[in-house]
Amino acid sequence: MTATLAGCGGSGGSGDVTLKLVAADYGTSDANKSDKYWDGVARSFEASHPGIKVEVTVYPWTDVDRKVAEMVKAGDAPDIAQIGAYADYAKAGKLYSADQMLSIPVQANFLPKLADAGRVDRIQYGLPFVASTRLLFYNKKLFGQAGLPAPQTWSDIAGDAAALKQRGVTYPFALPLGQEESQAETLMWMLSGGGSYTDDVGSYDIDSEENVKTFTWLKSNLVDKGLVGPVAPGKLNRAKAFEAFTKGQVGMLNGHPTLMEEAERKGIDVGMVPLPGETGPTEGSMGVADWIMGFKENGHRAEIGKFFDFMFSDKNVIEFADTYDMLPVTESASASMEDNPDFKALHQFLTTLPEAEFYPFGKTSWAQASESIKENIGKAVEPGANPETVLAKIAREATAAEAAE
């Protein structure tokens, strides 16, 4: 379903500008659809900015990127789009840069790692809209029954999973490498082994020695020993793994704030620690960000900038993050939430955000590389597979996609 919201402000007359904004729906039910948030922001903005109206259309996440792509192709780009990726539009010269739209205080307020993740050729086009990080979740009740402390190393994970399996836990360690979001699970494990998707200069490094070692360990110590549950990792999607965790069927898995809230609502006593690494807790965390951007097509640069300056106020940023169990993208909103005991449950995630590592969003080849990861990474841990061969295939496809740009 699509919802279109037309704000009721504006001064009337020939000087009016209407900004068209397309956004994604983060809601999980009719009660918390994103329409309500955007309606509040649009009406408040119009009340303080006579002459500028905001017309918002909200699409489900399954449709929003495609809808915006169709609008742009048809020569009917929105003024503002809140979607999953920005790099293709930036490379095509269709977006305003951040400094063309935002006031200096607003642009300087983004968390530096997020601002960097929004750059193409060192210029920021993608404005971070909302973020999240990942931690290792464990079921405290199951761990307590087995007499296990929280895991800190890979060997702890393997030993704890073996103990949980002996006690009949369905998924001692849930490893979702199915197509839904396996690029996230993959990056978390790469980081825990000292690797990543790219090297220090930003080139793809998917089949690095560190990454091969990580997936070889995963296959040998978790998958081959039957410690990942009844569904093969390549067939297990994140949603199913999360659902099993909320039912008390999972000992450990990598999770984010929304899962924490859902599991606790279902009565699960959730423990959270940084993802264990080979010799101790991983220093960095994986971060995920969604983006908002301004299109040049209608020439509304000044009006878009005014809207963004308004939208990125602490009040609006915190309201959205709070509603959807996400993390704010600005320094001031993050500090405000860290100082507020009402957000204590999110403090551990907030702590990891400034140093989190994100996907290589600035690469227009990332969409293709991500698809290759989702399609192939589960094969790296299948019986008889060679992880190095699978990672090399993904690396070749990513490098080819990059060379074609």
Side-chain angles (χ1 to χ4, degrees):
M1 291 183 64
T2 304
T4 302
L5 313 167
C8 58
S11 60
S14 59
D16 279 4
V17 165
T18 296
L19 296 177
K20 293 188 297 181
L21 189 157
V22 174
D25 186 12
Y26 288 74
T28 55
S29 67
D30 288 341
N32 70 342
K33 286 187 175 298
S34 298
D35 311 48
K36 181 180 178 183
Y37 170 81
W38 285 113
D39 192 35
V41 172
R43 288 169 187 269
S44 297
F45 172 77
E46 290 173 345
S48 56
H49 293 79
I52 308 175
K53 298 183 179 183
V54 183
E55 181 181 289
V56 184
T57 305
V58 177
Y59 291 109
W61 264 114
T62 49
D63 299 332
V64 68
D65 288 283
R66 174 176 55 82
K67 289 287 189 182
V68 170
E70 289 171 353
M71 293 169 73
V72 173
K73 188 175 180 180
D76 187 31
D79 295 288
I80 297 167
Q82 187 270 299
I83 50 179
Y86 64 85
D88 282 339
Y89 300 123
K91 281 278 192 181
K94 294 183 181 297
L95 301 181
Y96 291 117
S97 61
D99 62 354
Q100 289 177 309
M101 299 181 290
L102 304 176
S103 65
I104 290 172
V106 170
Q107 188 178 359
N109 197 24
F110 292 123
L111 290 163
K113 280 287 187 88
L114 284 163
D116 288 345
R119 298 182 196 278
V120 172
D121 297 332
R122 297 185 294 280
I123 298 172
Q124 186 182 357
Y125 295 94
L127 311 181
F129 177 70
V130 75
S132 72
T133 58
R134 303 290 199 264
L135 295 169
L136 180 77
F137 285 27
Y138 65 97
N139 184 312
K140 282 187 174 181
K141 180 181 177 182
L142 296 178
F143 267 65
Q145 289 170 343
L148 300 170
Q152 296 187 49
T153 64
W154 284 357
S155 59
D156 289 345
I157 287 177
D160 294 349
L164 293 168
K165 183 182 180 182
Q166 282 189 328
R167 298 183 67 86
V169 175
T170 307
Y171 293 89
F173 193 104
L175 185 65
L177 295 177
Q179 290 207 14
E180 182 192 348
E181 204 203 22
S182 53
Q183 77 277 17
E185 187 74 16
T186 299
L187 180 54
M188 284 182 270
W189 280 102
M190 287 178 171
L191 292 172
S192 79
S196 186
Y197 283 134
T198 56
D199 60 21
D200 291 342
V201 295
S203 300
Y204 283 120
D205 199 22
I206 292 168
D207 59 345
S208 68
E209 183 180 335
E210 293 86 355
N211 293 341
V212 170
K213 182 177 181 181
T214 295
F215 274 84
T216 301
W217 184 90
L218 267 177
K219 182 180 184 303
S220 301
N221 292 276
L222 291 185
V223 183
D224 289 351
K225 292 184 178 178
L227 301 178
V228 294
V231 182
K235 304 290 186 186
L236 182 64
N237 280 330
R238 181 190 64 166
K240 289 294 184 185
F242 282 12
E243 181 184 351
F245 187 79
T246 66
K247 292 178 178 178
Q249 299 171 347
V250 175
M252 296 170 276
L253 87 174
N254 293 313
H256 55 51
T258 308
L259 174 62
M260 174 191 68
E261 296 279 350
E262 181 65 21
E264 289 178 347
R265 274 197 295 270
K266 296 285 181 67
I268 304 298
D269 191 3
V270 182
M272 297 180 295
V273 293
L275 183 62
E278 191 172 9
T279 58
T282 304
E283 298 251 333
S285 172
M286 190 202 80
V288 174
D290 297 325
W291 304 94
I292 194 163
M293 61 212 71
F295 281 86
K296 293 179 178 179
E297 187 166 306
N298 301 314
H300 294 152
R301 180 186 63 80
E303 292 84 1
I304 293 170
K306 289 176 182 177
F307 180 79
F308 281 149
D309 281 355
F310 180 86
M311 190 199 80
F312 282 112
S313 69
D314 284 358
K315 174 184 178 294
N316 291 328
V317 170
I318 291 172
E319 180 187 344
F320 193 91
D322 184 32
T323 300
Y324 297 105
D325 302 316
M326 303 290 279
L327 302 180
V329 295
T330 62
E331 299 265 19
S332 57
S334 293
S336 178
M337 289 181 78
E338 284 179 350
D339 291 340
N340 189 334
D342 290 347
F343 299 111
K344 185 177 180 181
L346 291 175
H347 286 178
Q348 201 170 344
F349 293 97
L350 284 163
T351 300
T352 64
L353 184 58
E355 296 305 319
E357 180 152 347
F358 296 86
Y359 302 138
F361 286 113
K363 291 179 174 290
T364 53
S365 59
W366 170 242
Q368 285 180 262
S370 177
E371 285 304 311
S372 180
I373 293 161
K374 288 189 279 189
E375 189 174 318
N376 293 295
I377 195 64
K379 300 171 186 174
V381 295
E382 288 178 352
N386 181 343
E388 184 172 7
T389 302
V390 176
L391 288 170
K393 172 183 169 62
I394 296 170
R396 283 195 303 273
E397 293 183 358
T399 303
E402 180 78 356
E405 295 298 336

